[in-house]
Structure formats: C-alpha cells, structure tokens
Amino acid sequence: MRKNAVVISDLRVVRGGRPIIDGLDVAVPAGSVVGLLGPSGSGKTTLMRSVVGVQDHVTGTVEVLGSAAGTPALRRRVGYMTQDASVYTDLTVAQNLRYFAALADVPSPAEAVAAAVATVDLGGHEKQRVGTLSGGERTRVSLAAALVGGPELLVLDEPTVGLDPVLRRDLWAVFRRLAAAGCTLLVSSHVMDEAVQCDRLLLMRSGALVADTTPDELLATTGAPDAERAFLALIDAAGESAADVGKTTEETAR
C-alpha cells in the first residue's frame, strides 16, 4: 500500500477574521503527481503554504514526510516554488542555485547545482544573469532552485502560468520524470487541461475540498467530455449545495 507524503487533518486558516480554509482533511500519496485545482481565491495557495509551513494562523494537523510542517528537519526534504519568481535577477543562474543550495545546507553543492540545471534543461545558461533570460527560462531557474536540495516533496504553485503550450508540455514532462524517480509533487493550477497529467486531483472551491479523485473518475462521475467541463459541473453542484444549506439554515432560524 502506497504511503502518504502529506496528511492533513482538520486544517483551519483564518485571515482578516474570516476562515480561508475551514476543517480540511486530505492526504497526498507519496511518489505521485497530485493536482490542486480550483478558481482564483479557492484557497490553493493557502493550502500549499500550510504544507510548506510558512502560513500564519493555522490550526489542525499538517504532517509532511512524517514530521510537522515547517520543522527544520524538512528544510532540504521539501522544495517550494511560488507563483512569483523566487530568484534574483541580478545574479547568474549558477549564483542563484549555489545560494539556494547553501540555504538548504546541501553537502555537495556543485553536484546539486549541476543536477538541477540538467533536470530543467538549462545547460549553457549557468553564467547568464537571470534578468536577461526569457520568462520561460526564469520559470525553469525557479524550479531548479526548488530542486537543488534534492527534495522528496515538491510543492509548485501554478508553475506553468503565463507559459506557452510548448513550455507547459516540457515542464510537465519534467514533473513526470521527477515522480518516476520517487519524488512527490503537489502542483496547483487553474488550467483544467493539466488535470489529465496528474495521478490524483484535489478540486477546491471557497476553501473547501469539492472532490478528491483521479482524472478518469472525474470524467466518469460527471459524464463530461473533458476535464474543464467536468470541473465546472462539480463547482456548480457545490455552489448549489451551499445555497441549499444556506436556505435551510435561514428557514430553520425563522
């Protein structure tokens, strides 16, 4: 039986006096690519920050690779790629990666940097300043920075946003190779055609989990012809259920 890389129980995150995530339970199987999908504002980034251990005002249990999220022991075991570029544009590719390798206390930084560069196919760009790279290349540098510690869990927040279809395809090929090598990936996206690239799907709406399923199960359950229409069907159903609950509560109060 496959173990879970992440186990979340009764997660609650409050911001500005209101719950962003309220009582979420979910598990991420080890060695798989898990897609975290949902519209903007659904709580995807908040959930990912909770997994990495950098989110404030969190209650509940978030266990990552057998330890509490954010503990020092996970520093090298978990890689995190944020939505915005997390690298320094005035440094070269190699300088950025050496810096992140030092932060992760990598024992053989030169080897780790070379391996990360090779994984994201940036060979020949090591001495180039990041500010002179294309948008797609900068995304690859950010991914390399998340990989340089040799993580067992990779948390990627909308890594393909703004990229053209060819670059998106190439990045997903990298993700699949990493998973085949044993890495667990939690990848957020609002691009529904990326759902079919995942082993498992977590679909969110308004801070709640709408479905925990596979791409095949998603299509079979909804009867939709593609992932986007399947997701919209679930989102609409979830919205109707919430409206019904609100209506019932209001009638009961009367």
Side-chain angles (χ1 to χ4, degrees), residues 33-94:
V33 180
V34 177
L36 182 58
L37 307 177
S40 297
S42 61
K44 301 188 301 295
T45 296
T46 299
L47 176 56
M48 300 184 107
R49 285 174 55 85
S50 300
V51 170
V52 177
V54 297
Q55 180 63 50
D56 294 329
H57 308 298
V58 173
T59 59
T61 303
V62 183
E63 185 180 280
V64 178
L65 303 174
S67 300
T71 57
L74 295 173
R75 184 173 300 164
R76 197 161 71 230
R77 301 178 69 195
V78 178
Y80 180 36
M81 179 178 169
T82 60
Q83 287 185 29
D84 297 323
S86 57
V87 291
Y88 298 95
T89 57
D90 57 338
L91 299 179
T92 67
V93 171

Side-chain angles (χ1 to χ4, degrees), residues 22 26 121 126 141 174 191 229 242 251:
D22 197 3
V26 72
D121 194 23
E126 293 91 338
V141 178
V174 172
V191 181
R229 276 178 276 193
E251 290 173 349

